[in-house]
Amino acid sequence: MRLPEGDLVRSRVVSDPGAALSAALDRRLTGYAVFRPQDTLLLGGDRRAVLTFEGGVPVLAYDGATDRGGAEALGDLAVPGPYKVELYELSSDALSDAHDTPELRVSPEMPAEELAADSELAERTRVLAPDDREEQSQNDKSALEAFLDDEEKIAAIREQAREEAEQRAEEWGFDDALDR
Amino acid sequence: MVEAFAVASGKGGTGKTTSTLALGMALAADHDVTVIDADTGMANLLFHAGLDDVEVTLHDLLVEETGTRVDEAVYDRFGMSVVPCGTSLAAFEAADPGRLRDVVADLAADTDVVLLDSPAALGSKSAVLPVVLADRVVVVLQPTIPSLSDGLKVQEYAQSYGTETAGVLFNKVHDDERIDRVADQAERYFGGETLTTVPDSDVVRAARRAGEPLLAHAPDSVAAASYREAAAAIDVRDGDEDDVAARFRSAVVPETP
């Protein structure tokens, strides 16, 4: 997928992707967001995914590293850690070619629900979505399923949590519990 | 016999407290059940159990030298023994989370099942303590990526401290078809089976507003039936109460932060 370059309007490191989705919705962004997970270890290197918006409502997602689109692209990219998110404005016309790629599209509320786990944001997005977007959400594949499919990434998340738990056990004086 | 379970989620908003009380009521059909609000910083079990006007709570037991007896903070409600926690920030600050082990040890001497409603966080000693103390953990999940990844983290913490997974429970489920696939996938990573999937429903919110556990407010609802299914899937083990109490008392507990 190729997009013309837009105008950068916001660049933040966020612990929760919902903050970026909410910012895009609040400013009724027409353009795209670039998500870059900061924990490059979990994904084995630098990764980014693009999510486009029309009037603040998500339209399509694409992960260049896996060459997958739609909900699966967001699942491929999802990690527990912080993300750097840049929002770019781009005209509707410039987005229209890309938006004419059904296999990359996501339902309006899916990123808020599955990536951010924010049902209130999902509802606000649904309210703002044009009526003709609704049918599409019936056929969506799940970002969560794509996330759970990636055994290597899940193993890395578990390994990281285990190391953290053991390190903290020492800090917190739980050492004996480790040998229980 | 006694077995202690931590009901944990890693991420807030999964319906952990609703699940704790619902599992407690369902397990109470066959067992003596004691439910303890171990989420001492963000206590809300008292609101779910209609106990928001009681005077003595777990907080009083966690503050040194109040002279409060453990049984003063135990309330018989809905067929269970319920130990609520107060919501005062001052009481939270005065509380010594380490005393939780003695309270749990006392209560374990006289019950079959202890359910610890655990903090939805892993960032502090007091938040992790219930998972350290419990025999097994029940992980409450929502079918979202953050909830699953936090749930995996909780499980790794629990395993590191020798606490097994009793099972996972999917809550606030919207899509019945998809959840079966998600649950199958998740079972590969979680130590225990999927105990049940609970649909998102207004009746759960209504129960919370009424200050009643779901199984008392809407016993015939689909959600209530799901929790009974989950309870039936948990095979409560016959831990020796003296052993369990001794383990709680001897658990290495950090100093007050």
Side-chain angles (χ1 to χ4, degrees):
Chain A
M1 185 191 74
R2 286 192 169 276
L3 282 176
E5 196 170 328
D7 296 325
L8 180 66
V9 292
R10 190 176 194 268
S11 175
R12 298 277 159 82
V13 174
V14 293
S15 58
D16 171 4
L21 297 171
S22 185
L25 186 73
D26 289 345
R27 63 165 66 226
R28 306 289 190 262
L29 178 75
T30 294
Y32 59 94
V34 180
F35 287 80
R36 286 193 179 84
Q38 298 298 282
D39 192 338
T40 53
L41 288 176
L42 287 176
L43 291 166
D46 265 340
R47 287 279 291 276
R48 68 184 72 179
V50 174
L51 182 64
T52 68
F53 297 85
E54 188 81 54
V57 178
V59 180
L60 66 77
Y62 181 71
D63 180 341
T66 57
D67 193 29
R68 296 216 290 181
E72 290 169 326
L74 296 181
D76 288 343
L77 189 82
V79 292
Y83 297 78
K84 183 173 186 194
V85 187
E86 292 167 337
L87 301 184
Y88 294 86
E89 275 179 357
L90 194 61
S91 72
S92 256
D93 290 346
L95 286 164
S96 63
D97 273 359
H99 282 181
D100 195 22
T101 322
E103 62 271 24
L104 302 184
R105 289 174 75 111
V106 297
S107 68
E109 70 279 12
M110 192 283 293
E113 255 169 16
E114 292 191 40
L115 192 63
D118 186 337
S119 52
E120 189 266 338
L121 178 63
E123 184 54 34
R124 280 200 290 139
T125 310
R126 207 166 10 238
V127 167
L128 208 68
D131 292 345
D132 63 357
R133 295 289 311 277
E134 275 184 17
E135 271 171 64
Q136 217 185 332
S137 57
Q138 306 299 318
N139 298 323
D140 253 348
K141 284 183 186 163
S142 151
L144 178 54
E145 286 168 68
F147 173 78
L148 288 172
D149 258 344
D150 190 339
E151 290 182 8
E152 265 178 48
K153 182 166 71 182
I154 300 279
I157 290 171
R158 294 178 66 176
E159 176 65 28
Q160 201 174 60
R162 198 155 44 235
E163 282 170 13
E164 193 181 282
E166 284 166 12
Q167 187 190 337
R168 286 181 167 174
E170 275 175 41
E171 283 170 30
W172 292 342
F174 285 149
D175 314 42
D176 281 17
L178 289 175
D179 304 320
R180 200 171 82 205
Chain B
M1 59 166 257
V2 63
E3 182 168 15
F5 296 91
V7 183
S9 69
K11 188 171 169 56
T14 57
K16 187 170 46 63
T17 301
T18 292
S19 299
T20 306
L21 284 168
L23 284 175
M25 273 190 76
L27 287 165
D30 296 315
H31 306 279
D32 277 336
V33 174
T34 301
V35 174
I36 304 171
D37 190 353
D39 192 354
T40 52
M42 296 255 287
N44 68 351
L45 190 137
L46 74 174
F47 301 116
H48 288 249
L51 292 168
D52 37 326
D53 57 352
V54 299
E55 290 204 355
V56 182
T57 75
L58 180 66
H59 270 156
D60 300 286
L61 304 179
L62 299 182
V63 178
E64 228 177 334
E65 291 162 8
T66 57
T68 312
R69 293 190 323 272
V70 170
D71 63 356
E72 291 178 69
V74 180
Y75 299 86
D76 290 326
R77 292 290 188 284
F78 310 103
M80 305 173 281
S81 299
V82 180
V83 183
C85 187
T87 54
S88 144
L89 187 60
F92 170 64
E93 282 169 355
D96 172 1
R99 294 174 67 90
L100 180 66
R101 67 181 173 157
D102 291 320
V103 173
V104 177
D106 266 12
L107 292 165
D110 201 26
T111 195
D112 298 339
V113 176
V114 173
L115 290 179
L116 299 164
D117 187 5
S118 309
L122 293 168
S124 71
K125 301 185 256 193
S126 56
V128 174
L129 188 58
V131 169
V132 176
L133 291 179
D135 297 290
R136 288 191 284 170
V137 62
V138 173
V139 186
V140 180
L141 302 167
Q142 264 180 276
T144 68
I145 292 170
S147 175
L148 264 289
S149 70
D150 285 350
L152 285 165
K153 284 182 75 172
V154 168
Q155 174 172 269
E156 291 308 321
Y157 269 70
Q159 280 181 358
S160 297
Y161 304 135
T163 305
E164 297 168 43
T165 307
V168 301
L169 184 157
F170 282 94
N171 198 16
K172 302 188 177 181
V173 171
H174 290 283
D175 186 334
D176 287 346
E177 281 177 32
R178 217 163 69 184
I179 193 62
D180 290 339
R181 300 200 302 267
V182 166
D184 281 349
Q185 279 180 303
E187 262 180 27
R188 289 186 291 159
Y189 305 118
F190 284 94
E193 62 177 308
T194 303
L195 300 171
T196 195
T197 61
V198 184
D200 188 40
S201 77
D202 289 334
V203 80
V204 175
R205 290 178 276 277
R208 162 71 182 79
R209 281 195 299 274
E212 284 183 325
L214 174 70
L215 268 66
H217 187 80
D220 300 325
S221 61
V222 177
S226 303
Y227 281 112
R228 280 192 290 268
E229 182 183 284
I234 298 174
D235 184 18
V236 178
R237 297 172 185 170
D238 292 347
D240 180 274
E241 54 261 35
D242 292 335
D243 286 353
V244 173
R247 176 155 55 74
F248 289 149
R249 288 218 166 77
S250 66
V252 177
V253 166
E255 293 148 31
T256 312

